[in-house]
Amino acid sequence: MAEKFDHLEEHLEKFVENIRQLGIIVSDFQPSSQAGLNQKLCLCVCLSPRNFIVTGLQDIDKCRQQLHDITVPLEVFEYIDQGRNPQLYTKECLERALAKNEQVKGKIDTMKKFKSLLIQELSKVFPEDMAKYRSIRGEDHPPS
Amino acid sequence: MENFTALFGAQADPPPPPTALGFGPGKPPPPPPPPAGGGPGTAPPPTAATAPPGADKSGAGCGPFYLMRELPELTGSTNLITHYNLEQAYNKFCGKKVKEKLSNFLPDLPGMIDLPGSHDNSSLRSLIEKPPILSSSFNPITGTMLAGFRLHTGPLPEQCRLMHIQPPKKKNKHKHKQSRTQDPVPPETPSDSDHKKKKKKKEEDPERKRKKKEKKKKKNRHSPDHPGMGSSQASSSSSLR
């Protein structure tokens, strides 16, 4: 699974580097730079494929098929759009999950105490029925 | 007992016998007569043998306790992070301090990526909400299309000068950012500019760096671990004696 991410990352890095070089060429354009610009943009026999913008986009598009099952939460995009580290989203998710886990555990522990008290009191009033309940529960789950 | 039955048997229908609620001898109750007006309890009460609709299948074998269900194996009482083997991820993200900026996550990406996407209309959100209209495939640019890419000579205006910023290659330990020759300097307040300029001058002055190096060399010469000093120290110690 990591391989398909590595491929995509590699293609993206090459593409970004090509774009950056294009930006350098364009930032202070000279007449002699036109040939280099054309080589970066279009197909050329003498240069290697890694300098092509169009082929770079094609390579990135090919990676899409391998990643069709990957889902990204939209909330991560908000972090990126704000210029924040997306790992902060993972961190906050884990912290929220742990906090909710602790909260639910507290509720379960309280309900368990209530259950034991309720069984205790019901056993005084309905001994036979509670004996049946305990026998049924005892088969499925150990008494808490 | 009467109060208990009142809680579960308070309906327009005549109250069913206590055996129907499962709190008596194990005898199946007779079905009550259907009411003339069609009250809420039109369906016959569920018997112990048949499971009521919507109840869990496991409740069918639980005797008179119709609402009894199997407790799930995984509940909130267990530590779900350890259950799903996320301890390493938790220690990695929550144990250490995660840096705030996007440039710390993508250090090799050129450009001012720490700025919000709404500033230069480069947000991912806008890309999702309004996807650009594209063709199905990427076609190579032909010779005639290249005519559109003939540019005029000269530098770009300062507003567009962002892409030629070099990505930071060295990790700076200093808190203050070292100014880059090509970076556009953000607008500063007059009160802070002098202080920052002084600090920048202190850090970037090459003469200061040379002086630091010379001091380090002198310290190393005078240290006892330095190999060159062994003989000189021995000679000095012998002379003192």
Side-chain angles (χ1 to χ4, degrees):
Chain A
M1 185 176 173
E3 289 179 356
K4 48 189 176 181
F5 287 119
D6 291 339
H7 285 308
L8 178 64
E9 195 175 337
E10 189 183 338
H11 289 308
L12 283 170
E13 282 178 355
K14 285 178 185 174
F15 185 75
V16 166
E17 180 59 25
N18 282 335
I19 293 289
R20 191 184 71 84
Q21 289 176 7
L22 265 179
I24 292 169
I25 293 169
V26 168
S27 63
D28 195 3
F29 194 74
Q30 302 298 326
S32 57
S33 308
Q34 186 67 54
L37 179 69
N38 293 346
Q39 285 173 355
K40 287 279 181 199
L41 288 171
C42 75
L43 193 65
C44 181
V45 177
C46 58
L47 287 177
S48 60
R50 62 182 177 179
N51 287 333
F52 306 145
I53 298 299
V54 177
T55 52
L57 286 169
Q58 287 172 342
D59 292 336
I60 292 166
D61 193 49
K62 284 173 190 173
C63 294
R64 190 179 60 170
Q65 296 172 0
Q66 298 175 353
L67 299 166
H68 65 278
D69 56 339
I70 302 295
T71 55
V72 180
L74 285 174
E75 292 176 0
V76 181
F77 292 158
E78 292 179 5
Y79 280 70
I80 295 170
D81 289 340
Q82 292 168 11
R84 298 176 68 196
N85 193 342
Q87 289 179 336
L88 289 171
Y89 170 75
T90 310
K91 179 185 172 183
E92 288 181 16
C93 272
L94 286 166
E95 286 174 349
R96 269 185 279 156
L98 186 66
K100 190 72 180 178
N101 198 172
E102 287 176 354
Q103 189 185 14
V104 172
K105 185 179 185 301
K107 285 182 183 176
I108 289 173
D109 290 342
T110 309
M111 293 299 279
K112 278 181 181 176
K113 287 178 188 174
F114 172 68
K115 180 187 172 183
S116 62
L117 285 171
L118 186 64
I119 287 173
Q120 203 176 349
E121 295 299 322
L122 280 172
S123 300
K124 295 175 187 176
V125 183
F126 305 108
E128 293 177 358
D129 294 309
M130 293 315 297
K132 281 183 191 175
Y133 173 81
R134 278 180 174 162
S135 64
I136 292 165
R137 266 289 182 231
E139 290 170 359
D140 297 339
H141 298 280
S144 60
Chain B
M1 191 67 161
E2 290 175 1
N3 291 332
F4 198 80
T5 53
L7 283 172
F8 290 92
Q11 291 178 2
D13 297 332
T19 53
L21 298 170
F23 291 94
K27 200 175 177 183
T42 52
T47 58
T50 59
D56 202 2
K57 288 183 180 178
S58 61
C62 294
F65 306 107
Y66 304 115
L67 296 177
M68 187 184 292
R69 295 177 186 178
E70 283 186 4
L71 295 175
E73 293 180 359
L74 184 64
T75 61
S77 59
T78 57
N79 190 342
L80 297 172
I81 288 178
T82 53
H83 179 79
Y84 289 107
N85 298 322
L86 291 172
E87 287 176 344
Q88 286 185 358
Y90 183 81
N91 291 330
K92 179 186 171 186
F93 291 106
C94 301
K96 303 172 190 175
K97 189 179 177 183
V98 178
K99 293 184 180 176
E100 183 74 22
K101 292 184 181 177
L102 185 59
S103 56
N104 298 120
F105 181 68
L106 296 168
D108 296 331
L109 206 62
M112 305 287 281
I113 59 173
D114 293 333
L115 294 176
S118 57
H119 280 215
D120 53 357
N121 201 20
S122 64
S123 64
L124 294 169
R125 195 77 182 180
S126 61
L127 196 66
I128 294 165
E129 290 173 355
K130 293 178 186 178
I133 299 168
L134 301 169
S135 60
S136 59
S137 61
F138 294 100
N139 300 317
I141 300 172
T142 59
T144 52
M145 292 179 189
L146 278 176
F149 289 96
R150 286 180 192 167
L151 304 179
H152 295 287
T153 56
L156 277 176
E158 289 183 1
Q159 295 172 358
C160 303
R161 282 192 177 188
L162 291 175
M163 288 306 298
H164 68 283
I165 296 167
Q166 296 286 338
K169 291 178 182 179
K170 294 179 185 178
K171 289 183 181 179
N172 296 323
K173 291 184 180 179
H174 298 289
K175 288 182 182 179
H176 300 283
K177 291 180 185 177
Q178 295 182 359
S179 64
R180 301 169 195 165
T181 54
Q182 294 175 342
D183 283 352
V185 179
E188 296 175 346
T189 58
S191 60
D192 294 332
S193 60
D194 294 332
H195 182 64
K196 285 183 181 179
K197 279 179 185 174
K198 285 180 185 175
K199 285 195 174 182
K200 281 183 183 177
K201 279 184 181 176
K202 284 182 182 176
E203 290 173 357
E204 298 166 7
D205 195 1
E207 292 181 357
R208 194 174 176 82
K209 287 181 182 176
R210 285 176 199 169
K211 285 179 184 176
K212 280 185 180 177
K213 284 181 183 177
E214 286 173 2
K215 281 183 183 177
K216 282 183 183 176
K217 284 180 183 176
K218 284 180 184 176
K219 281 182 183 177
N220 289 332
R221 283 176 196 166
H222 292 291
S223 67
D225 296 332
H226 192 72
M229 284 300 296
S231 58
S232 62
Q233 276 186 349
S235 63
S236 63
S237 61
S238 62
S239 66
L240 284 171
R241 288 176 187 170

